[in-house]
Amino acid sequence: MIEINNLGKYFGDHKVLSDISLEVKKGDVFGIVGHSGAGKSTLLRCLNGLESYSEGSVRVGGKEVKDLDESELKLLRRDMGMIFQNFNLMNRKDVYENILFPLKVWGTPKNEAAARADELLELVGLTGKKHEKVRNLSGGQKQRVGIARALALNPEILLCDEATSALDPKTTISILELLMDINKKLNVTIIVVTHQMEVVKMICNKVIILDGGEIVASGETDKLFLAPGEELRKLITDDYAVIPSGTNIRLMFPREVANDSIITNMARDLDINFSIVGGRIEKYRETVMGFLIINVADEDVANIEKWLGENKMYWEVMKDGQ
Ligand SMILES: Nc1ncnc2c1ncn2[C@@H]1O[C@H](COP(=O)(O)OP(=O)(O)OP(=O)(O)O)[C@@H](O)[C@H]1O
């Protein structure tokens, strides 16, 4: 659906994207994460032809984006809805008019457009707000209007540029649930640009991490978090905090065992004592993953590692608090 190979992009002499290669398949929720200035928005804009590029290839639906003429670009953008951090809505118009706007631009017959707008209002849960002015809505409601408008022309792809960054945590979750719902019900492929790791964990099945315009990590989200490399660790702040004396082992539970009482089994099988010094359960889309830091006696470490290996666990022995 989207194939990028060795993409390079300059602003003047400044190379802002370097050797980017990735593939997004139909139905993916694909995350692009990284710190400010990493090149996330520029990459997104290369996808819909808002930015040119001088190296490599960006193919969407089999077509090279830089080779498209104006009318082909219009069609490409019709097929890619987009939502933004600051919503980009017409604040003095009502919800209905905002959703109708793209349908009008594309000359959709009036009855058809009205029916489509009603359908979208229902999808995003705003039927009761149809004639409310956008300026009177909450941030979450505004983003729902943004999503409805972005979906008006039945796009195959939805681009989300920091779509939840301006929202509080509870509203963020409700918007992410809506995006998941849309992904599942309508099979819309979603590309999510964000600096919020929680967003990636909750909805993305695949992710790339950008740093200085380069991909420094990529893969399936749960696998990447299960054994985070150095680059991902820099973006995760709180997993490695609790370290008393003794040997600490950080356990990562893969999906097959996350719901089992693995720790109780280990204690029973090995007849050892240990203390749990940190951990939590996290949900990645439908997958539940567990992280646990246990503190063990030095002489038990070898046995524990052997047992963990036999039981298909992922773990690392933490040294000097890291
Ligand atoms: N139009 C432009 N002209 C010149 N430089 C630009 C332009 N747009 C972006 N840049 C530069 O390109 C680099 C990548 O910017 P980009 O906005 O893609 O990063 P980002 O990861 O999306 O950051 P943020 O999260 O802050 O939006 C930055 O160094 C930025 O200053």
Side-chain angles (χ1 to χ4, degrees), residues 11 14 16 35-42 51 162:
F11 282 118
H14 182 197
V16 292
H35 293 302
S36 182
K40 308 181 294 292
S41 300
T42 306
E51 291 289 355
E162 298 283 6

